[in-house]
Amino acid sequence: MLFQAVLTSALLTSTALAAAVAPEQLPPTVRLQLVTRSTTDEIQNAALINKAATAHLTNYGGPVIKNVIVHPIFYGAANYQSNINSFYSAVTQSTWYSLLTQYNVGSGTAVNGISQAATKTRLDDVNDIQVLLKNLVKSKTITPTANTYYPIHFAPGISITQGGSASCQVFCAYHGTIDISSLGVGTKYLYYGVIPDQGGSCAGGCGSNPSTMNNMFSVASHELAEAVTDAAVGVATVVGSPLAWYDATNGEIGDICNAQQGTTVGRDGKTYVIQKQWSNKANACTSS
């Protein structure tokens, strides 16, 4: 067998949270999606099966994005921009997305992305990305609401650090939350995703599809599903509110099904590669 790089969760805790005990501390890498190395496909598949066998998402009462409006942001000359616009518009009204109704999430929409000039090739989440987003709010370039989600797609050659970990070395993508209540724009949180270019050093470690674009779609769908079902994870410090749908042992809806790609037909009639997501109703990872 060939060695294969596979995605695993950074959201594991040693034991599940019992309802009667004090909230368990979240691990510091709660927003990361790790890249690890597996020796064989069999080891990968066994780990995913064992993980899913014990999974269940619990609602801790935090916010979900009920009817998402996806606003992509392209930082620098990001690849596949028109395809990304079509992807978000299509999959937010697909059978894959309709699985989220069991988590109090309805269908969504998307608008075409906006471009931001790349002023740096190395960005830190707190010091650069969150500052950029706040400045876009202050300049009224973007107007966050309780339903908006801003996935940032980065140009090739741009590296990102989050919590001291580096893109394509430790994680493939993540989603986060910024408390913007002090900006006085009528909503408490800004929800965003960070999607590095999936070529270069990410290639082969962030999806098994031979197409870099399809692996990017898979990673983007992972973060989209998690953002809408667990929107305030970026400001959570314990297993409890403001988390929404979360599994104290296995993590968020996408983490339970990490590395399991599938397809869905979007509202445009086209087929897109997505990552499967956990269904409490089906008690399985599924794409429809």
Side-chain angles (χ1 to χ4, degrees):
M1 282 288 183
L2 293 174
F3 282 67
Q4 184 180 18
V6 300
L7 301 179
T8 61
S9 172
L11 296 161
L12 298 180
T13 55
S14 58
T15 56
L17 178 68
V21 301
E24 178 182 341
Q25 293 294 316
L26 286 174
T29 52
V30 65
R31 295 177 295 282
L32 300 184
Q33 180 179 344
L34 293 181
V35 179
T36 61
R37 300 288 169 178
S38 171
T39 54
T40 66
D41 291 342
E42 286 80 2
I43 291 175
Q44 171 192 358
N45 293 335
L48 291 169
I49 291 168
N50 290 337
K51 187 175 187 179
T54 62
H56 185 81
L57 292 168
T58 298
N59 186 358
Y60 288 98
V64 299
I65 304 178
K66 292 185 177 180
N67 296 104
V68 72
I69 307 170
V70 183
H71 288 249
I73 297 173
F74 303 116
Y75 188 85
N79 286 326
Y80 313 117
Q81 293 187 25
S82 63
N83 304 90
I84 291 168
N85 288 331
S86 298
F87 169 79
Y88 284 120
S89 178
V91 301
T92 49
Q93 295 190 33
S94 66
T95 55
W96 170 81
Y97 200 82
S98 67
L99 286 167
L100 300 176
T101 57
Q102 64 189 286
Y103 306 116
N104 308 317
V105 173
S107 62
T109 57
V111 300
N112 287 342
I114 62 171
S115 296
Q116 290 295 302
T119 58
K120 295 183 177 182
T121 57
R122 296 179 181 271
L123 294 95
D124 176 72
D125 180 68
V126 173
N127 296 319
D128 297 307
I129 294 173
Q130 293 191 19
V131 171
L132 168 67
L133 289 167
K134 288 179 181 178
N135 285 339
L136 291 176
V137 175
K138 292 175 182 177
S139 67
K140 299 183 179 181
T141 303
I142 61 175
T143 306
T145 71
N147 280 314
T148 49
Y149 167 61
Y150 296 95
I152 309 172
H153 290 259
F154 290 84
I158 294 176
S159 61
I160 297 139
T161 56
Q162 198 274 0
S165 298
S167 58
C168 302
Q169 296 179 25
V170 178
F171 64 87
C172 296
Y174 62 89
H175 70 105
T177 319
I178 308 172
D179 187 335
I180 57 168
S181 53
S182 64
L183 299 184
V185 293
T187 192
K188 184 174 184 179
Y189 296 129
L190 184 152
Y191 308 120
Y192 68 101
V194 170
I195 320 293
D197 182 76
Q198 296 299 299
S201 56
C202 270
C206 296
S208 58
N209 194 281
S211 163
T212 300
M213 183 178 72
N214 285 339
N215 287 327
M216 179 270 296
F217 287 159
S218 178
V219 168
S221 70
H222 175 118
E223 303 308 331
L224 171 62
E226 291 186 341
V228 298
T229 57
D230 194 25
V233 66
V235 293
T237 57
V238 297
V239 178
S241 184
L243 292 178
W245 294 94
Y246 188 82
D247 181 318
T249 300
N250 300 303
E252 297 180 301
I253 189 171
D255 300 304
I256 299 168
C257 307
N258 245 339
Q260 299 187 45
Q261 291 183 337
T263 60
T264 193
V265 176
R267 67 172 177 172
D268 57 1
K270 297 180 180 179
T271 299
Y272 294 90
V273 172
I274 42 78
Q275 189 198 281
K276 294 181 180 181
Q277 53 189 332
W278 178 256
S279 168
N280 277 352
K281 286 186 176 180
N283 197 37
C285 294
T286 183
S287 57
S288 63

PDB file of all heavy atoms in Angstrom, residues 58-80:
ATOM      1  N   THR A  58     -24.196  16.868  20.390  1.00  0.00           N
ATOM      2  CA  THR A  58     -25.066  17.405  21.428  1.00  0.00           C
ATOM      3  C   THR A  58     -25.202  18.905  21.239  1.00  0.00           C
ATOM      4  O   THR A  58     -24.223  19.584  20.920  1.00  0.00           O
ATOM      5  CB  THR A  58     -24.481  17.110  22.828  1.00  0.00           C
ATOM      6  OG1 THR A  58     -24.409  15.692  23.007  1.00  0.00           O
ATOM      7  CG2 THR A  58     -25.329  17.717  23.924  1.00  0.00           C
ATOM      8  N   ASN A  59     -26.398  19.424  21.441  1.00  0.00           N
ATOM      9  CA  ASN A  59     -26.620  20.860  21.322  1.00  0.00           C
ATOM     10  C   ASN A  59     -26.357  21.524  22.668  1.00  0.00           C
ATOM     11  O   ASN A  59     -27.095  21.320  23.631  1.00  0.00           O
ATOM     12  CB  ASN A  59     -28.052  21.135  20.874  1.00  0.00           C
ATOM     13  CG  ASN A  59     -28.306  22.600  20.579  1.00  0.00           C
ATOM     14  OD1 ASN A  59     -27.409  23.445  20.735  1.00  0.00           O
ATOM     15  ND2 ASN A  59     -29.508  22.925  20.152  1.00  0.00           N
ATOM     16  N   TYR A  60     -25.302  22.338  22.723  1.00  0.00           N
ATOM     17  CA  TYR A  60     -24.938  23.029  23.957  1.00  0.00           C
ATOM     18  C   TYR A  60     -25.532  24.428  24.045  1.00  0.00           C
ATOM     19  O   TYR A  60     -25.221  25.165  24.976  1.00  0.00           O
ATOM     20  CB  TYR A  60     -23.417  23.078  24.095  1.00  0.00           C
ATOM     21  CG  TYR A  60     -22.829  21.725  24.420  1.00  0.00           C
ATOM     22  CD1 TYR A  60     -22.293  20.928  23.426  1.00  0.00           C
ATOM     23  CD2 TYR A  60     -22.839  21.236  25.723  1.00  0.00           C
ATOM     24  CE1 TYR A  60     -21.771  19.673  23.718  1.00  0.00           C
ATOM     25  CE2 TYR A  60     -22.327  19.984  26.026  1.00  0.00           C
ATOM     26  CZ  TYR A  60     -21.792  19.206  25.019  1.00  0.00           C
ATOM     27  OH  TYR A  60     -21.284  17.964  25.315  1.00  0.00           O
ATOM     28  N   GLY A  61     -26.383  24.795  23.096  1.00  0.00           N
ATOM     29  CA  GLY A  61     -27.138  26.029  23.208  1.00  0.00           C
ATOM     30  C   GLY A  61     -26.549  27.249  22.549  1.00  0.00           C
ATOM     31  O   GLY A  61     -27.158  28.325  22.575  1.00  0.00           O
ATOM     32  N   GLY A  62     -25.384  27.123  21.946  1.00  0.00           N
ATOM     33  CA  GLY A  62     -24.777  28.258  21.261  1.00  0.00           C
ATOM     34  C   GLY A  62     -25.439  28.526  19.921  1.00  0.00           C
ATOM     35  O   GLY A  62     -26.320  27.788  19.471  1.00  0.00           O
ATOM     36  N   PRO A  63     -25.018  29.573  19.225  1.00  0.00           N
ATOM     37  CA  PRO A  63     -25.677  29.951  17.970  1.00  0.00           C
ATOM     38  C   PRO A  63     -25.341  29.022  16.808  1.00  0.00           C
ATOM     39  O   PRO A  63     -24.237  28.473  16.721  1.00  0.00           O
ATOM     40  CB  PRO A  63     -25.128  31.356  17.699  1.00  0.00           C
ATOM     41  CG  PRO A  63     -23.800  31.381  18.393  1.00  0.00           C
ATOM     42  CD  PRO A  63     -23.970  30.540  19.620  1.00  0.00           C
ATOM     43  N   VAL A  64     -26.314  28.838  15.944  1.00  0.00           N
ATOM     44  CA  VAL A  64     -26.106  28.253  14.629  1.00  0.00           C
ATOM     45  C   VAL A  64     -26.406  29.342  13.602  1.00  0.00           C
ATOM     46  O   VAL A  64     -27.010  30.365  13.927  1.00  0.00           O
ATOM     47  CB  VAL A  64     -27.005  27.019  14.386  1.00  0.00           C
ATOM     48  CG1 VAL A  64     -26.707  25.928  15.397  1.00  0.00           C
ATOM     49  CG2 VAL A  64     -28.485  27.391  14.407  1.00  0.00           C
ATOM     50  N   ILE A  65     -25.959  29.124  12.377  1.00  0.00           N
ATOM     51  CA  ILE A  65     -26.295  30.052  11.295  1.00  0.00           C
ATOM     52  C   ILE A  65     -27.491  29.452  10.568  1.00  0.00           C
ATOM     53  O   ILE A  65     -27.349  28.509   9.792  1.00  0.00           O
ATOM     54  CB  ILE A  65     -25.104  30.267  10.345  1.00  0.00           C
ATOM     55  CG1 ILE A  65     -23.874  30.755  11.123  1.00  0.00           C
ATOM     56  CG2 ILE A  65     -25.470  31.282   9.259  1.00  0.00           C
ATOM     57  CD1 ILE A  65     -22.629  30.955  10.269  1.00  0.00           C
ATOM     58  N   LYS A  66     -28.662  29.972  10.838  1.00  0.00           N
ATOM     59  CA  LYS A  66     -29.892  29.308  10.400  1.00  0.00           C
ATOM     60  C   LYS A  66     -30.099  29.343   8.899  1.00  0.00           C
ATOM     61  O   LYS A  66     -30.563  28.365   8.309  1.00  0.00           O
ATOM     62  CB  LYS A  66     -31.094  29.929  11.129  1.00  0.00           C
ATOM     63  CG  LYS A  66     -31.104  29.622  12.620  1.00  0.00           C
ATOM     64  CD  LYS A  66     -32.363  30.154  13.293  1.00  0.00           C
ATOM     65  CE  LYS A  66     -32.380  29.776  14.767  1.00  0.00           C
ATOM     66  NZ  LYS A  66     -33.602  30.273  15.455  1.00  0.00           N
ATOM     67  N   ASN A  67     -29.812  30.442   8.277  1.00  0.00           N
ATOM     68  CA  ASN A  67     -29.957  30.567   6.816  1.00  0.00           C
ATOM     69  C   ASN A  67     -28.747  31.319   6.292  1.00  0.00           C
ATOM     70  O   ASN A  67     -28.793  32.539   6.066  1.00  0.00           O
ATOM     71  CB  ASN A  67     -31.247  31.299   6.452  1.00  0.00           C
ATOM     72  CG  ASN A  67     -32.491  30.541   6.868  1.00  0.00           C
ATOM     73  OD1 ASN A  67     -33.147  30.892   7.849  1.00  0.00           O
ATOM     74  ND2 ASN A  67     -32.825  29.493   6.151  1.00  0.00           N
ATOM     75  N   VAL A  68     -27.687  30.592   6.097  1.00  0.00           N
ATOM     76  CA  VAL A  68     -26.398  31.198   5.796  1.00  0.00           C
ATOM     77  C   VAL A  68     -26.422  31.970   4.477  1.00  0.00           C
ATOM     78  O   VAL A  68     -27.101  31.585   3.512  1.00  0.00           O
ATOM     79  CB  VAL A  68     -25.282  30.133   5.762  1.00  0.00           C
ATOM     80  CG1 VAL A  68     -25.391  29.248   4.527  1.00  0.00           C
ATOM     81  CG2 VAL A  68     -23.902  30.779   5.835  1.00  0.00           C
ATOM     82  N   ILE A  69     -25.720  33.077   4.476  1.00  0.00           N
ATOM     83  CA  ILE A  69     -25.377  33.791   3.245  1.00  0.00           C
ATOM     84  C   ILE A  69     -23.853  33.780   3.181  1.00  0.00           C
ATOM     85  O   ILE A  69     -23.183  34.427   3.991  1.00  0.00           O
ATOM     86  CB  ILE A  69     -25.897  35.237   3.253  1.00  0.00           C
ATOM     87  CG1 ILE A  69     -27.387  35.275   3.565  1.00  0.00           C
ATOM     88  CG2 ILE A  69     -25.612  35.915   1.907  1.00  0.00           C
ATOM     89  CD1 ILE A  69     -27.924  36.674   3.826  1.00  0.00           C
ATOM     90  N   VAL A  70     -23.312  33.031   2.252  1.00  0.00           N
ATOM     91  CA  VAL A  70     -21.865  32.870   2.152  1.00  0.00           C
ATOM     92  C   VAL A  70     -21.294  34.022   1.336  1.00  0.00           C
ATOM     93  O   VAL A  70     -21.718  34.276   0.209  1.00  0.00           O
ATOM     94  CB  VAL A  70     -21.494  31.521   1.502  1.00  0.00           C
ATOM     95  CG1 VAL A  70     -19.978  31.352   1.479  1.00  0.00           C
ATOM     96  CG2 VAL A  70     -22.150  30.364   2.243  1.00  0.00           C
ATOM     97  N   HIS A  71     -20.323  34.709   1.930  1.00  0.00           N
ATOM     98  CA  HIS A  71     -19.632  35.831   1.279  1.00  0.00           C
ATOM     99  C   HIS A  71     -18.151  35.470   1.161  1.00  0.00           C
ATOM    100  O   HIS A  71     -17.370  35.786   2.058  1.00  0.00           O
ATOM    101  CB  HIS A  71     -19.757  37.110   2.111  1.00  0.00           C
ATOM    102  CG  HIS A  71     -21.106  37.738   2.116  1.00  0.00           C
ATOM    103  ND1 HIS A  71     -21.370  38.945   1.499  1.00  0.00           N
ATOM    104  CD2 HIS A  71     -22.273  37.334   2.662  1.00  0.00           C
ATOM    105  CE1 HIS A  71     -22.644  39.266   1.681  1.00  0.00           C
ATOM    106  NE2 HIS A  71     -23.214  38.297   2.383  1.00  0.00           N
ATOM    107  N   PRO A  72     -17.722  34.838   0.086  1.00  0.00           N
ATOM    108  CA  PRO A  72     -16.292  34.521  -0.030  1.00  0.00           C
ATOM    109  C   PRO A  72     -15.446  35.785  -0.116  1.00  0.00           C
ATOM    110  O   PRO A  72     -15.885  36.820  -0.615  1.00  0.00           O
ATOM    111  CB  PRO A  72     -16.201  33.722  -1.341  1.00  0.00           C
ATOM    112  CG  PRO A  72     -17.611  33.298  -1.637  1.00  0.00           C
ATOM    113  CD  PRO A  72     -18.494  34.356  -1.063  1.00  0.00           C
ATOM    114  N   ILE A  73     -14.230  35.659   0.405  1.00  0.00           N
ATOM    115  CA  ILE A  73     -13.223  36.710   0.271  1.00  0.00           C
ATOM    116  C   ILE A  73     -11.989  36.068  -0.354  1.00  0.00           C
ATOM    117  O   ILE A  73     -11.526  35.032   0.130  1.00  0.00           O
ATOM    118  CB  ILE A  73     -12.876  37.341   1.632  1.00  0.00           C
ATOM    119  CG1 ILE A  73     -14.098  38.032   2.236  1.00  0.00           C
ATOM    120  CG2 ILE A  73     -11.715  38.337   1.487  1.00  0.00           C
ATOM    121  CD1 ILE A  73     -13.890  38.533   3.655  1.00  0.00           C
ATOM    122  N   PHE A  74     -11.474  36.650  -1.413  1.00  0.00           N
ATOM    123  CA  PHE A  74     -10.294  36.122  -2.094  1.00  0.00           C
ATOM    124  C   PHE A  74      -9.099  37.001  -1.741  1.00  0.00           C
ATOM    125  O   PHE A  74      -9.045  38.179  -2.110  1.00  0.00           O
ATOM    126  CB  PHE A  74     -10.513  36.076  -3.600  1.00  0.00           C
ATOM    127  CG  PHE A  74     -11.720  35.252  -4.004  1.00  0.00           C
ATOM    128  CD1 PHE A  74     -12.801  35.849  -4.630  1.00  0.00           C
ATOM    129  CD2 PHE A  74     -11.769  33.904  -3.727  1.00  0.00           C
ATOM    130  CE1 PHE A  74     -13.911  35.108  -4.997  1.00  0.00           C
ATOM    131  CE2 PHE A  74     -12.879  33.142  -4.084  1.00  0.00           C
ATOM    132  CZ  PHE A  74     -13.950  33.743  -4.719  1.00  0.00           C
ATOM    133  N   TYR A  75      -8.167  36.410  -1.028  1.00  0.00           N
ATOM    134  CA  TYR A  75      -6.977  37.151  -0.598  1.00  0.00           C
ATOM    135  C   TYR A  75      -5.862  36.879  -1.596  1.00  0.00           C
ATOM    136  O   TYR A  75      -5.313  35.776  -1.672  1.00  0.00           O
ATOM    137  CB  TYR A  75      -6.556  36.721   0.802  1.00  0.00           C
ATOM    138  CG  TYR A  75      -5.443  37.562   1.402  1.00  0.00           C
ATOM    139  CD1 TYR A  75      -5.729  38.747   2.073  1.00  0.00           C
ATOM    140  CD2 TYR A  75      -4.113  37.176   1.286  1.00  0.00           C
ATOM    141  CE1 TYR A  75      -4.721  39.518   2.620  1.00  0.00           C
ATOM    142  CE2 TYR A  75      -3.093  37.940   1.829  1.00  0.00           C
ATOM    143  CZ  TYR A  75      -3.401  39.119   2.495  1.00  0.00           C
ATOM    144  OH  TYR A  75      -2.392  39.882   3.031  1.00  0.00           O
ATOM    145  N   GLY A  76      -5.541  37.901  -2.381  1.00  0.00           N
ATOM    146  CA  GLY A  76      -4.564  37.720  -3.449  1.00  0.00           C
ATOM    147  C   GLY A  76      -5.190  36.980  -4.617  1.00  0.00           C
ATOM    148  O   GLY A  76      -6.412  36.870  -4.734  1.00  0.00           O
ATOM    149  N   ALA A  77      -4.351  36.465  -5.477  1.00  0.00           N
ATOM    150  CA  ALA A  77      -4.811  35.786  -6.694  1.00  0.00           C
ATOM    151  C   ALA A  77      -5.182  34.338  -6.376  1.00  0.00           C
ATOM    152  O   ALA A  77      -4.521  33.389  -6.825  1.00  0.00           O
ATOM    153  CB  ALA A  77      -3.737  35.852  -7.772  1.00  0.00           C
ATOM    154  N   ALA A  78      -6.229  34.178  -5.605  1.00  0.00           N
ATOM    155  CA  ALA A  78      -6.680  32.832  -5.237  1.00  0.00           C
ATOM    156  C   ALA A  78      -7.131  32.072  -6.470  1.00  0.00           C
ATOM    157  O   ALA A  78      -7.743  32.641  -7.385  1.00  0.00           O
ATOM    158  CB  ALA A  78      -7.817  32.925  -4.229  1.00  0.00           C
ATOM    159  N   ASN A  79      -6.844  30.796  -6.502  1.00  0.00           N
ATOM    160  CA  ASN A  79      -7.253  29.945  -7.614  1.00  0.00           C
ATOM    161  C   ASN A  79      -8.754  29.656  -7.577  1.00  0.00           C
ATOM    162  O   ASN A  79      -9.378  29.671  -6.514  1.00  0.00           O
ATOM    163  CB  ASN A  79      -6.497  28.619  -7.564  1.00  0.00           C
ATOM    164  CG  ASN A  79      -5.046  28.751  -7.983  1.00  0.00           C
ATOM    165  OD1 ASN A  79      -4.713  29.561  -8.846  1.00  0.00           O
ATOM    166  ND2 ASN A  79      -4.168  27.974  -7.369  1.00  0.00           N
ATOM    167  N   TYR A  80      -9.316  29.388  -8.763  1.00  0.00           N
ATOM    168  CA  TYR A  80     -10.676  28.858  -8.914  1.00  0.00           C
ATOM    169  C   TYR A  80     -11.764  29.801  -8.392  1.00  0.00           C
ATOM    170  O   TYR A  80     -12.789  29.357  -7.883  1.00  0.00           O
ATOM    171  CB  TYR A  80     -10.806  27.499  -8.210  1.00  0.00           C
ATOM    172  CG  TYR A  80      -9.696  26.530  -8.489  1.00  0.00           C
ATOM    173  CD1 TYR A  80      -8.864  26.077  -7.464  1.00  0.00           C
ATOM    174  CD2 TYR A  80      -9.457  26.060  -9.782  1.00  0.00           C
ATOM    175  CE1 TYR A  80      -7.837  25.184  -7.707  1.00  0.00           C
ATOM    176  CE2 TYR A  80      -8.436  25.162 -10.045  1.00  0.00           C
ATOM    177  CZ  TYR A  80      -7.619  24.733  -9.000  1.00  0.00           C
ATOM    178  OH  TYR A  80      -6.591  23.839  -9.249  1.00  0.00           O
TER     179      TYR A  80
END
